[in-house]
Amino acid sequence: MELHYINNTNTCQIREKKGVSYITFPKLFQYDKDMLHGFSTRFGGVSKEHLSSMNLSFSRGDQKECVLENHRRFAKALGYDARKLVFSDQVHLTNFHKVTKEDCGKGIIRESDIKEVDGLVTNEPGVPIITFYADCVPVFFYDPVKKVIAMVHSGWRGTVERIGAKMVSYMAEEFGCKPKDIVCAVAPSICQKCYEVSEDVAGHFLEVFGTSYGKELLYAKENGKYQLNLHKACGITLLEAGIEKENLDVTDLCTCCNPEFFFSHRASHGMRGNLAGVMMLREVSLDKV
């Protein structure tokens, strides 16, 4: 399938393993011996109709058995144990949860007490963390010095609240991470051309980001609406938080422009499944096996 790229740059890699297609990011993948990561697509699962086929959410009306099988397939492709997954509980806030081995299985094989959380972070190997998407922005974090991974779910509310910068600060406070060491990726989400917002939302972004970025971040339309670039806003936030430019991949793939490849809430008018991002610190480095 031919994908529609925004800038046609090499900020992500499309991989296929065991019939499952997924996305990785070059700046993160260079650390694959220590940490695995991946962002799902619609391909490789067993769900049907508008949930076809790799729906990874239990909250979209899918059959539980199908979702569990999708998780098993995605986990097998990436190389983690799906039964140990720790789910987020995304509500468009900027709350984080420090994940430990005691959390393993929460959300997939047992009830979770992790509530109102849009960011997960851990320094414990063998603990896979997962966050969910269908147009909002996934942001991946890895500190190769302190061996810490994190992900945040950044919709427009999280983005204007600078959730990415808050995670950088959280990693520094909880694990001693230095921003200059952290490697980040802004994964596929809705692009500026597809993301129309109201005047009040645009106003929030102008208050926070100012006008210096011009139309590259936000521009007005004749109908009184605005086109917002969440990719750009997340990238700005991370750079201003101290992430080095050479340690940052900002996606050039749009979920809404590619509805056959990704689930998109806007493209499908809500008739869709959920994509997911997964990260895990490896328990044994591949170069030691």
Side-chain angles (χ1 to χ4, degrees):
M1 176 181 293
E2 183 177 352
L3 290 175
H4 174 76
Y5 286 79
I6 301 168
N7 298 311
N8 197 29
T9 57
N10 188 27
T11 59
C12 59
Q13 305 146 326
I14 302 170
R15 301 182 182 276
E16 191 275 333
K17 190 173 183 180
K18 300 182 184 299
V20 174
S21 296
Y22 61 97
I23 305 292
T24 61
F25 306 93
K27 289 181 171 59
L28 291 174
F29 195 75
Q30 65 181 314
Y31 300 103
D32 187 59
K33 66 182 180 65
D34 299 313
M35 173 273 304
L36 66 81
H37 78 285
F39 185 72
S40 70
T41 70
R42 295 189 66 163
F43 296 112
V46 298
S47 297
K48 304 299 183 184
E49 299 176 342
H50 64 280
L51 300 169
S52 174
S53 66
M54 185 59 79
N55 166 50
L56 293 169
S57 174
F58 292 103
S59 64
R60 302 305 305 176
D62 204 349
Q63 296 180 36
K64 182 178 180 179
E65 295 75 15
C66 290
V67 180
L68 287 171
E69 177 60 22
N70 292 342
H71 275 287
R72 283 190 286 267
R73 293 186 179 199
F74 194 55
K76 190 172 183 180
L78 266 66
Y80 62 89
D81 185 346
R83 296 169 300 177
K84 293 184 178 180
L85 277 169
V86 181
F87 280 38
S88 55
D89 177 46
Q90 298 160 194
V91 290
H92 296 277
L93 296 176
T94 58
N95 300 328
F96 307 138
H97 178 74
K98 186 193 298 186
V99 177
T100 69
K101 283 185 170 61
E102 285 67 37
D103 292 316
C104 283
K106 289 182 178 178
I108 186 162
I109 62 171
R110 61 185 176 123
E111 288 294 321
S112 177
D113 57 358
I114 303 171
K115 302 297 182 183
E116 297 188 351
V117 162
D118 282 76
L120 299 175
V121 57
T122 189
N123 66 344
E124 297 197 14
V127 180
I129 57 176
I130 185 167
T131 50
F132 300 94
Y133 306 91
D135 280 339
C136 291
V137 186
V139 186
F140 293 68
F141 303 77
Y142 176 53
D143 182 344
V145 177
K146 297 295 185 179
K147 297 294 189 293
V148 177
I149 57 171
M151 286 187 293
V152 299
H153 162 261
S154 189
W156 78 258
R157 290 179 178 84
T159 303
V160 81
E161 290 289 337
R162 294 187 180 269
I163 190 173
K166 290 181 178 179
M167 178 56 84
V168 172
S169 295
Y170 188 83
M171 292 171 70
E173 294 165 4
E174 297 294 327
F175 302 99
C177 300
K178 297 178 180 178
K180 68 180 182 64
D181 296 327
I182 299 173
V183 181
C184 294
V186 177
S189 51
I190 195 166
C191 74
Q192 184 176 29
K193 179 177 71 69
C194 295
Y195 194 42
E196 182 183 83
V197 298
S198 60
E199 184 176 4
D200 61 325
V201 172
H204 289 310
F205 276 84
L206 289 173
E207 288 176 13
V208 172
F209 291 91
T211 59
S212 60
Y213 297 101
K215 291 184 177 181
E216 192 175 359
L217 179 65
L218 185 73
Y219 63 86
K221 300 170 65 178
E222 293 182 359
N223 64 357
K225 303 288 187 178
Y226 292 75
Q227 297 299 130
L228 175 61
N229 191 336
L230 289 177
H231 299 150
K232 179 69 175 180
C234 288
I236 292 168
T237 294
L238 293 169
L239 292 172
E240 291 182 351
I243 303 300
E244 301 285 349
K245 187 175 182 180
E246 59 268 26
N247 287 338
L248 175 63
D249 276 327
V250 179
T251 187
D252 54 0
L253 275 174
C254 170
T255 47
C256 192
C257 288
N258 297 283
E260 297 86 7
F261 199 78
F262 299 111
F263 291 116
S264 168
H265 187 79
R266 289 217 171 186
S268 67
H269 305 286
M271 294 292 292
R272 46 81 180 175
N274 267 357
L275 306 163
V278 171
M279 299 186 82
M280 187 187 77
L281 294 167
R282 297 188 188 276
E283 295 184 276
V284 179
S285 295
L286 295 182
D287 59 356
K288 296 180 181 179
V289 175

